[in-house]
Amino acid sequence: VIAFFIGIVLAFYNMLYQEKRNNIINNDKATAKETADQLTEHLSTCRDVINLTAFALDEMIKGGADNSEILGYIVKQSTAVTSAVFESTTGLYGYINGEYLDGARWVPEKGYDPTSRPWYVKAAEKGRDITIVDPYTDVHSGTTMIAISKLLCDGKSVVAMDVSLDKIYTIAEDAVASGISDIEIILDSSARVVARSEKKR
């Protein structure tokens, strides 16, 4: 009889444990999905900018536009993006017709090879699909950025845009501040920590 009642008690506590465990897992899944949705929304704006710019540049390349005309467009587009869309980018840039063109008018130091940079390499590997590059150190600003880039119609030129991690940090921090999560950690494709709810930038 004692063994029977002990068995009932253990079964009851095991049931409570499993229910509590499942509730925690389900709540965490919902929180993770909410954070992922916010990240997707943030990055979708960047993707739209790159798609629009790539389409225009493809038409210019097909039409035989020279690089001075292409640079003029990239500069105007960069100004529009940084002032009207969001401030978390330094603008657009790319390697086009064998030349590095920068919408912020940044001139790289001698020896700078754009074709060895992650934004170019990843886009070339991806083909005509947009690629999001894992965080890397931006040569221009010296800060950690992510890049969104796309290969253009000639198969050699690439347009890209750097995006700071500020908004990503904010998404992680706000999730904890609002009480929906105890801690938020965002990983890149290599499982390295990109952002966490504690401000360690």
Side-chain angles (χ1 to χ4, degrees), residues 12-198:
F12 175 73
Y13 278 107
N14 183 62
M15 181 184 69
L16 288 179
Y17 167 78
Q18 291 297 333
E19 184 178 353
K20 183 69 174 177
R21 178 177 176 273
N22 289 336
N23 285 340
I24 291 172
I25 290 173
N26 290 334
N27 287 338
D28 287 348
K29 283 181 178 179
T31 300
K33 185 180 184 306
E34 184 176 335
T35 300
D37 289 343
Q38 291 182 55
L39 289 170
T40 299
E41 182 179 352
H42 172 59
L43 293 175
S44 67
T45 303
C46 306
R47 294 170 65 94
D48 290 344
V49 169
I50 287 294
N51 269 327
L52 177 63
T53 304
F55 176 79
L57 292 176
D58 282 343
E59 294 302 306
M60 295 177 80
I61 290 171
K62 291 174 185 176
D66 61 28
N67 275 11
S68 61
E69 184 181 350
I70 291 173
L71 176 60
Y73 170 77
I74 293 176
V75 170
K76 289 179 182 178
Q77 188 74 346
S78 294
T79 302
V81 168
T82 55
S83 61
V85 182
F86 47 80
E87 299 176 353
S88 58
T89 178
T90 54
L92 294 147
Y93 58 90
Y95 181 74
I96 301 170
N97 293 331
E99 183 181 359
Y100 177 78
L101 305 175
D102 196 293
R105 303 262 188 199
W106 174 66
V107 179
E109 295 179 359
K110 186 177 180 180
Y112 176 77
D113 179 12
T115 63
S116 68
R117 300 299 297 165
W119 56 267
Y120 184 92
V121 173
K122 294 293 183 183
E125 291 173 351
K126 193 79 171 181
R128 291 287 283 160
D129 294 329
I130 284 182
T131 183
I132 298 178
V133 181
D134 288 340
Y136 70 103
T137 301
D138 176 48
V139 175
H140 178 197
S141 65
T143 59
T144 303
M145 311 279 276
I146 60 173
I148 300 173
S149 57
K150 185 174 183 179
L151 189 69
L152 299 180
C153 62
D154 62 358
K156 294 180 285 187
S157 300
V158 169
V159 64
M161 178 172 66
D162 284 341
V163 181
S164 77
L165 299 179
D166 288 346
K167 179 62 176 179
I168 295 175
Y169 286 127
T170 300
I171 290 172
E173 291 159 5
D174 287 352
V176 174
S178 65
I180 65 172
S181 178
D182 294 324
I183 186 171
E184 290 277 323
I185 298 175
I186 299 173
L187 307 176
D188 65 15
S189 62
S190 301
R192 294 174 298 187
V193 176
V194 173
R196 54 184 299 167
S197 51
E198 296 176 6

